[in-house]
Amino acid sequence: MIFLKNFSVKQFRGIRNLSVDKLGDVNLIVGDNNSGKTSVLEAIMLLRNTSAFSNILNVVRLRDNGFFSPFRLSTFDNFLYMFYPESEQKIIEVGGNINDKDVGVKISGTVENVLVDISEMRERNRRVHEIHDSGIVYEETETAEFQGTIESQNGKDVSSEAIHFNAFTTLSGMRVSKPETVEIVYVSPTDHTNGNVFSKIVKNDDYKNIVLHVIQIFDEDIEDILYIKNEQTSRPIECLKHKKLGIMPLATYGDGIKKVLLLANSIAQAAGGILLVDEIETAIHSRYYDDIFKFIIKSCQQFKIQLFATTHSIEAVDGFLATQCDEDGENYQVDKEDVIRVVTFRKNAEKNKTDARVLTGKEVFENRKNFEFEVRV
C-alpha cells in the first residue's frame, strides 16, 4: 500500500536538498554511516501532523526514548540539534505527497536570549521538585529561546503558528495530536528492550497465531503469548507459555524474540498507515532473515501498511529480496508490480545536497546476482 508517493527535505539535521520519488510498498533505506538514514525516517514522521508542535516534540524525543542518563540532553537542546548548527536563521523544511495531497511543514526562526518569567520558573520547580514552599528565592534568569513559526500545508489547507520555546517551557500534559494525514509509527533499534511489545497482538487471535508460528522458529516449544498479573503490583507482565518451562516472563527470553514481537505489534499498530523501522535487522540473526522478512512483508500487505526500513546490512537487503524469489532463489518473481524499493542516500558536499538513488527490488537483485552490485554507497 503506497501512501507516501514522494518526499523532499530542503533542510533537516544534516540533510540538504534531498528529493525522493517512485516509492514503493516496502522501502529499504541504505547508505554509509552518517548518510542521513535515521534523519529521513524522522523527517517522514514530521508529516504525521504538520501543524502540531506536539508532533515536532515527539520527533525531537525519538532518539532519546529509552535512553536514561544523567548526561541526557533536555528536550529544548534536542530541539535545537534538529537545525543546522552554524546558521543563525534556523530552518527545517519537509514536504511530500500523501494520499494524493501535498503536505509539508516548515519551522523557521532564531534563537534569542530572553529573561524567563519568575512564575514560569516556580511552576517548573513545583512540577519537578515539588519545592514551591521551600523558601527558595526566585529571580529572573536569562536563557536561550527559540522564536519563530510553524508553517504547515495539508492539501489546500495552509496555516501558520508562532512558537516561543525554551528550556523552561511547560511540556507536561502536551499530547501528541492525532494524525492529519495517515497514522505513522516509528520503531527505534532499541525499542524491543523497553517492554510493551505485544499489546496489539493479543487482541487479534488470528494474527496472534500467525505471530506464534514466527517466533517458533526461535523455539518450537513456545505455545502462547499472554499477560499474567503481578500479585504484588497487580500490573500485567508480558509472558510466553512454553511446553517444557511453563509460563515464563518475556524478559527471560533473548532479544531476537522480543524484536520480532515488537515488529509484529508495530505492524498492527500502524494498520492503514506508514511504519518506520530504524535498523530493522537489529537483534535478528541472519539465518532467520528469509522467514521473518517474508512475515513482515505479508503482514504489511495484510494490514495495508507502507514500510520504510533502514539497514546497515547487505545480508538484510538480500533477505528482503529473497522473499520475492522462487524456491531456488534464482529468479525474482514480479506478478504485476515490484513491491520493493531500495533507496540509497549519499551526501554530496560539493553541491551542498544529499543525493538519492531509487531502484526496484528486481533491479537490485539482478545487479547483485550478475555484478555483485553494492547497494549501500
Side-chain angles (χ1 to χ4, degrees):
M1 191 74 183
I2 300 175
F3 296 100
L4 181 62
K5 294 184 177 180
N6 59 65
F7 69 90
S8 62
V9 181
K10 188 171 183 180
Q11 292 191 59
F12 178 67
R13 295 197 187 275
I15 303 176
R16 292 288 178 280
N17 302 312
L18 169 67
S19 180
V20 184
D21 57 12
K22 299 180 181 178
L23 296 168
D25 296 78
V26 176
N27 303 276
L28 304 177
I29 299 174
V30 298
D32 289 340
N33 287 333
N34 202 36
S35 61
K37 298 187 296 296
T38 300
S39 296
V40 164
L41 297 188
E42 293 172 327
I44 294 173
M45 193 71 179
L46 286 173
L47 299 178
R48 180 180 182 273
N49 191 321
T50 58
S51 63
F53 188 51
S54 59
N55 186 60
I56 295 167
L57 294 182
N58 183 45
V59 175
V60 167
R61 298 184 181 112
L62 289 178
R63 299 196 189 195
D64 254 2
N65 281 348
F67 177 69
F68 301 101
S69 166
F71 307 107
R72 182 177 178 175
L73 291 174
S74 69
T75 301
F76 177 68
D77 287 333
N78 273 320
F79 172 78
L80 293 185
Y81 278 115
M82 295 171 71
F83 299 90
Y84 190 65
E86 297 180 7
S87 174
E88 287 188 16
Q89 180 68 24
K90 306 294 184 183
I91 297 176
I92 292 171
E93 189 169 355
V94 178
N97 184 282
I98 296 180
N99 290 333
D100 295 320
K101 289 197 304 185
D102 290 331
V103 299
V105 57
K106 181 178 180 180
I107 309 159
S108 59
T110 59
V111 178
E112 309 290 344
N113 288 326
V114 299
L115 286 176
V116 174
D117 183 78
I118 294 175
S119 61
E120 189 173 17
M121 290 183 64
R122 183 182 292 116
E123 169 63 16
R124 181 174 185 270
N125 277 296
R126 184 192 67 77
R127 289 187 296 103
V128 177
H129 304 293
E130 297 182 354
I131 54 174
H132 59 292
D133 293 323
S134 61
I136 291 178
V137 176
Y138 295 94
E139 296 179 354
E140 287 187 327
T141 186
E142 190 175 64
T143 189
E145 179 176 86
F146 179 85
Q147 300 177 355
T149 59
I150 305 175
E151 300 172 54
S152 67
Q153 177 185 6
N154 185 10
K156 295 181 179 180
D157 296 330
V158 178
S159 64
S160 180
E161 180 183 352
I163 308 173
H164 294 271
F165 181 43
N166 60 60
F168 298 101
T169 301
T170 301
L171 301 177
S172 62
M174 185 180 289
R175 297 181 179 180
V176 177
S177 303
K178 293 181 179 180
E180 294 174 332
T181 53
V182 296
E183 183 60 84
I184 303 179
V185 174
Y186 174 89
V187 178
S188 83
T190 60
D191 279 348
H192 63 281
T193 65
N194 299 330
N196 189 28
V197 300
F198 55 64
S199 58
K200 298 289 185 180
I201 298 171
V202 296
K203 295 180 180 180
N204 184 328
D205 288 339
D206 291 338
Y207 186 50
K208 185 174 79 168
N209 289 331
I210 294 171
V211 176
L212 266 174
H213 285 302
V214 177
I215 63 174
Q216 282 167 352
I217 69 174
F218 296 94
D219 188 337
E220 62 183 12
D221 290 327
I222 295 174
E223 295 182 312
D224 200 4
I225 302 168
L226 71 163
Y227 287 105
I228 64 169
K229 186 180 292 186
N230 185 306
E231 294 181 359
Q232 283 74 39
T233 65
S234 296
R235 296 179 63 183
I237 301 174
E238 294 174 313
C239 295
L240 298 178
K241 184 180 179 182
H242 193 275
K243 188 180 299 183
K244 299 175 181 177
L245 302 175
I247 296 176
M248 299 289 292
L250 182 60
T252 64
Y253 285 85
D255 282 351
I257 288 179
K258 295 174 187 173
K259 179 64 177 280
V260 172
L261 286 168
L262 172 68
L263 290 173
N265 201 60
S266 300
I267 288 169
Q269 183 182 355
I274 296 172
L275 178 61
L276 312 173
V277 184
D278 198 10
E279 298 182 22
I280 195 167
E281 77 280 5
T282 300
I284 301 174
H285 194 281
S286 58
R287 68 173 175 267
Y288 302 128
Y289 283 174
D290 288 2
D291 289 329
I292 292 173
F293 294 159
K294 187 176 294 183
F295 157 73
I296 290 172
I297 290 179
K298 289 183 67 175
S299 297
C300 284
Q301 291 173 336
Q302 175 187 346
F303 285 94
K304 294 180 171 52
I305 290 169
Q306 185 180 20
L307 174 66
F308 291 82
T310 72
T311 179
H312 292 284
S313 167
I314 190 63
E315 291 79 15
V317 174
D318 288 340
F320 269 100
L321 297 178
T323 66
Q324 307 300 300
C325 293
D326 58 21
E327 292 184 0
D328 297 327
E330 292 296 322
N331 298 300
Y332 196 87
Q333 305 292 301
V334 180
D335 295 331
K336 295 181 179 179
E337 185 177 351
D338 196 346
V339 299
I340 294 178
R341 299 290 183 273
V342 179
V343 186
T344 304
F345 297 124
R346 182 169 56 185
K347 290 185 177 179
N348 187 332
E350 292 182 1
K351 296 184 179 180
N352 190 31
K353 67 188 296 285
T354 302
D355 293 325
R357 178 183 63 188
V358 181
L359 299 175
T360 66
K362 184 175 184 179
E363 288 172 329
V364 175
F365 176 83
E366 292 179 345
N367 279 293
R368 292 277 297 142
K369 180 180 176 181
N370 297 325
F371 308 111
E372 296 185 0
F373 184 61
E374 174 58 70
V375 301
R376 291 172 293 185
V377 297

